[in-house]
Amino acid sequence: MGRLVDGGDSTRPSWLPWTWSLWHLPTRPLIYVLGIETAALAAVLLLASPTPASSWATAGLLVACAALHLHASHAIERIRRDRSHLPHVDLCSVWTISGALVLPTLAEVALILAIYAHRWLLVGRFDQQRPPYRAAFTVAMMTLAALAASTVTTSTGLRDHLLAATLGWADVAALVAAIAGHWLVNSAIVAGILLLTADLTRRRDALGSTADNLLEVAQLVLGGFVAFAAAAWPEVTLLMVVPLHLVHQSVLLHQYKLAARTDSRTGLLNAVAWQDTAHAALQHARHGRTPVSVMLLDLDFFKRINDTHGHQVGDDVLTRVATVLTDTVRRDDAIGRYGGEEFAVLQPGVGPADAAGIAERIRAGIADLDIRDDHGHPVRLTATIGVATWPDTAEPTIEGMLRSADAALYAGKHAGRNQVRAAGTPAWSATREPSTNDDERRPPHGISPFDKRPASTPRRSRSAGPHT
């Protein structure tokens, strides 16, 4: 919701535009948001034309179907929005693209306004983290995307052929072009605002995950069938509400499954999912006789950071370390957080020398992090990393590889920390001075803390999608 004016009357409704937190955005995002909204208004004025009564009737039918769909699924949508830290696919495009295919400009804009006003009343107004200006920006974005598709349908004759139910292969190509135009405009606008406002791990994350983009394309294709039904057999359009509601449920189920495998603090795999991934990767490597390396990373004196700077800074440290890991290793390597300050990385096809080199880059990247607490005080952070490789320095099991990497990690801790130690290097003395740091109270050499943990772990995930 928009925030109230500082020192103002608390009874002033926060939906008044001049009270929105939009005006507190940094200059570049503010200009971008206002620019998109201005472009949408200009496009509507430029493309507007007289609208026949039959088009308003079709628009009313699509509004009714969209309302039924969202009303049946709004509880699911709230859950998905609450679990998503970035824009996500909201499953309204099936209705907006269908309107773009069969409706003239004014009727299409009315359809979009009705859909997103209803959506905000059911979902958005309860979400303090998503103020009204975001809903206005979404309407502008979807208007531009729909008008891009509408321009294609008009220029190719697809709309006339849909309304006359005389379609051929050329119309299939025109439909693909219209879908592509809608998707490209939508994705480009979302990517722009994310690059300006979101703290992304990678710039390419602004384009959303593969799964989200496939879901968006799938519903745009479904929108083509809805448009055909709305033009040729309007009564059938109502039946589309049922499968779309089931799609909504299946998307939420997938989100729950992903959450069950992911560490909520860092977005990496949790311990259970990581070991599941690691077992499968090692099995594949053994069949192909290719090496596999495991890296165990432990942040030095992490408890001291929490005690000195606070747990919020400690959480920021974990997030920044996760970013170093994901930026350094390959996209398909499995990265997991085992809890506390411990991380694990599985690298299929990587031998001992390369694994040690990658670990050293990670160690240096963590040491170079510029982290400060709320008072501007620097937070010194280092990490010790143990590396083991099958078949060179570890047994042919994940448990054996973890024990070898863990022993190397202890050796690095004993030798002074802030270093990489590979399994198979000279053994270290088991005698050392006792530590008062809780995160240093580790098992003796050769006994892995993973032995008593669940046997599995997940891979990193993202939740960005095509919609705000």
Side-chain angles (χ1 to χ4, degrees):
M1 301 284 288
R3 59 186 252 181
L4 296 174
V5 176
D6 293 340
D9 183 358
S10 61
T11 63
R12 291 173 64 185
S14 61
W15 46 264
L16 292 174
W18 52 86
T19 67
W20 289 357
S21 55
L22 165 68
W23 312 112
H24 299 271
L25 288 176
T27 301
R28 291 176 64 193
L30 176 60
I31 292 175
Y32 184 85
V33 170
L34 295 179
I36 293 298
E37 293 173 349
T38 302
L41 180 59
V44 172
L45 294 176
L46 179 64
L47 298 175
S49 60
T51 305
S54 59
S55 294
W56 288 115
T58 302
L61 172 64
L62 293 175
V63 167
C65 292
L68 285 174
H69 169 217
L70 186 55
H71 208 80
S73 306
H74 74 276
I76 297 174
E77 184 67 5
R78 283 191 200 171
I79 296 172
R80 292 183 64 234
R81 287 171 66 88
D82 290 343
R83 289 178 173 270
S84 177
H85 303 293
L86 291 172
H88 67 289
V89 179
D90 65 7
L91 302 182
C92 291
S93 290
V94 66
W95 305 111
T96 60
I97 186 67
S98 60
L101 295 175
V102 297
L103 297 176
T105 298
L106 292 180
E108 168 65 4
V109 172
L111 169 66
I112 293 172
L113 288 171
I115 289 175
Y116 283 95
H118 184 216
R119 180 175 179 265
W120 186 79
L121 287 172
L122 284 177
V123 181
R125 66 192 176 104
F126 299 103
D127 191 343
Q128 299 295 327
Q129 301 302 315
R130 292 175 173 85
Y133 80 81
R134 291 196 181 185
F137 178 77
T138 298
V139 169
M141 176 185 67
M142 296 307 298
T143 297
L144 288 173
L147 292 180
S150 180
T151 300
V152 174
T153 61
T154 302
S155 60
T156 59
L158 174 59
R159 177 173 298 152
D160 293 335
H161 296 166
L162 274 170
L163 295 175
T166 55
L167 299 169
W169 286 108
D171 297 304
V172 174
L175 175 61
V176 171
I179 289 173
H182 190 290
W183 179 85
L184 285 172
V185 171
N186 187 2
S187 298
I189 294 175
V190 172
I193 193 63
L194 286 180
L195 290 172
L196 290 173
T197 61
D199 184 15
L200 301 174
T201 301
R202 302 179 182 85
R203 293 178 66 85
R204 64 173 176 265
D205 290 349
L207 295 175
S209 67
T210 301
D212 273 347
N213 281 292
L214 287 175
L215 177 60
E216 173 71 355
V217 171
Q219 66 168 333
L220 291 175
V221 172
L222 285 175
F225 290 97
V226 172
F228 179 78
W233 194 2
E235 295 82 1
V236 175
T237 312
L238 291 169
L239 299 180
M240 286 299 298
V241 174
V242 177
L244 285 172
H245 178 61
L246 294 178
V247 169
H248 231 130
Q249 289 183 318
S250 66
V251 170
L252 179 61
L253 179 61
H254 171 74
Q255 195 166 348
Y256 277 133
K257 289 181 178 179
L258 185 63
R261 292 173 52 84
T262 305
D263 171 61
S264 60
R265 182 68 58 194
T266 63
L268 304 177
L269 297 173
N270 60 31
V272 172
W274 185 88
Q275 274 200 337
D276 283 344
T277 302
H279 277 292
L282 179 59
Q283 192 73 12
H284 180 76
R286 290 177 65 182
H287 283 301
R289 298 186 179 277
T290 56
V292 177
S293 291
V294 164
M295 183 188 309
L296 291 183
L297 181 152
D298 188 88
L299 300 180
D300 300 324
F301 302 114
F302 181 70
K303 184 177 184 298
R304 183 181 301 172
I305 293 174
N306 277 331
D307 293 343
T308 303
H309 302 282
H311 288 277
Q312 186 172 358
V313 174
D315 291 343
D316 183 46
V317 164
L318 295 174
T319 303
R320 298 285 295 277
V321 169
T323 300
V324 171
L325 288 168
T326 54
D327 285 347
T328 306
V329 304
R330 300 169 303 181
R331 187 177 180 85
D332 292 333
D333 293 340
I335 312 173
R337 180 189 175 202
Y338 261 88
E341 71 281 9
E342 296 175 323
F343 297 83
V345 180
L346 180 86
Q347 297 181 292
V350 176
D354 289 337
I358 295 169
E360 175 57 29
R361 290 200 297 274
I362 291 172
R363 185 207 63 77
I366 292 173
D368 289 341
L369 285 174
D370 182 14
I371 303 175
R372 298 181 180 272
D373 62 16
D374 294 338
H375 303 288
H377 299 144
V379 179
R380 184 176 183 272
L381 180 66
T382 61
T384 304
I385 305 174
V387 180
T389 302
W390 178 84
D392 299 72
T393 59
E395 302 172 18
T397 64
I398 289 300
E399 291 76 12
M401 296 183 71
L402 289 172
R403 280 192 292 269
S404 297
D406 204 39
L409 175 60
Y410 298 154
K413 289 282 188 180
H414 179 78
R417 303 180 179 85
N418 190 24
Q419 60 184 267
V420 174
R421 181 64 63 96
T425 54
W428 60 288
S429 169
T431 303
R432 61 173 175 170
E433 294 182 2
S435 172
T436 58
N437 189 5
D438 289 343
D439 69 347
E440 294 297 312
R441 295 173 186 168
R442 306 180 58 114
H445 175 60
I447 301 178
S448 171
F450 300 97
D451 292 344
K452 295 184 179 181
R453 291 180 177 162
S456 67
T457 322
R459 58 176 297 153
R460 55 191 181 280
S461 65
R462 297 185 300 273
S463 52
H467 289 224
T468 58

